[in-house]
Every structure is written in C-alpha cells, then in structure tokens.
Amino acid sequence: QVQLVESGGGLVQPGGSLRLSCAASRSIFETYIMGWYRQAPGNQRELVARIMSGGTTTYADSVKGRFTISMDNAKNTVYLQMTSLKPEDTAVYYCNARGPARYWGQGTQVTVSS
C-alpha cells in the first residue's frame, strides 16, 4: 500500500501562485508515474500534469507554460508549482500514482478568486 498526502492548496487571487506537494509514504518514483489531476464541480476529473522516473513531463494544454511538475526523490515528494492562476483553475487537486497499482491522495482545494 502507498499513502499519498497532498498539501499546499488554498485561496489565491487571479495571477497569483501556489505550490502543491504530494508526499508518498514510501519510495515509489522508480516504478510509478506520478501525476496531478483536478476536478471542478460538475466536471470530470482531468489530468493536469504527470512526470515519469526519468523526468519526462506531460501537461494539459490549459496549464502549459504556467504549471510545473517536479519530484524530489530523497523526500518521496512530487510538487506542482502553479503560476498565473486563473479562476478556471479552481478545483480539487489530486495526486496520483500509476504503476503496478493505482493510488490517489485525498485532494486539496485550490480556489482562485478576487
């Protein structure tokens, strides 16, 4: 079993920045693809960004150039740096690990509003 714990969400004004963190309970980055998803009310959960063990990253078109995913292997932590935030980025953000099994975190709320 793997536990994923997200943190870093909150309320921010449009144009602001936030950094989300996802701490894994053990070292899994060599065998799992790590990703951030989000789900806004009334919408399906969607992929925001993911990162593979070699560092290859993928982003949704809507966040390219504004969000950056990274990982710290020593801390078993994945980050999502979000800049130039827009109201449409408002959602619950979930950390995901995909590999031999699939794990989700509990989610962290991000609200972009003036």
Side-chain angles (χ1 to χ4, degrees):
Q1 272 288 1
V2 176
Q3 282 75 48
L4 302 175
V5 180
E6 301 104 333
S7 62
L11 173 64
V12 63
Q13 292 186 342
S17 299
L18 280 175
R19 189 179 78 158
L20 305 183
S21 299
C22 169
S25 57
R26 58 181 177 87
S27 176
I28 61 171
F29 296 166
E30 287 298 316
T31 53
Y32 282 78
I33 298 172
M34 302 300 298
W36 285 97
Y37 288 71
R38 67 187 181 187
Q39 187 168 19
N43 290 356
Q44 292 188 335
R45 192 172 295 189
E46 63 176 0
L47 175 68
V48 175
R50 61 180 172 222
I51 185 167
M52 302 177 71
S53 60
T56 301
T57 57
T58 304
Y59 296 93
D61 287 342
S62 59
V63 307
K64 281 181 182 176
R66 300 188 298 121
F67 291 10
T68 302
I69 188 171
S70 61
M71 60 172 55
D72 185 330
N73 290 294
K75 296 182 178 179
N76 296 330
T77 300
V78 176
Y79 302 98
L80 184 69
Q81 179 68 50
M82 306 185 293
T83 64
S84 301
L85 282 161
K86 304 175 182 180
E88 50 262 44
D89 295 317
T90 296
V92 178
Y93 283 70
Y94 297 91
C95 182
N96 172 261
R98 188 181 73 181
R102 196 159 190 177
Y103 301 100
W104 291 94
Q106 81 286 354
T108 186
Q109 177 70 47
V110 172
T111 302
V112 185
S113 175
S114 56

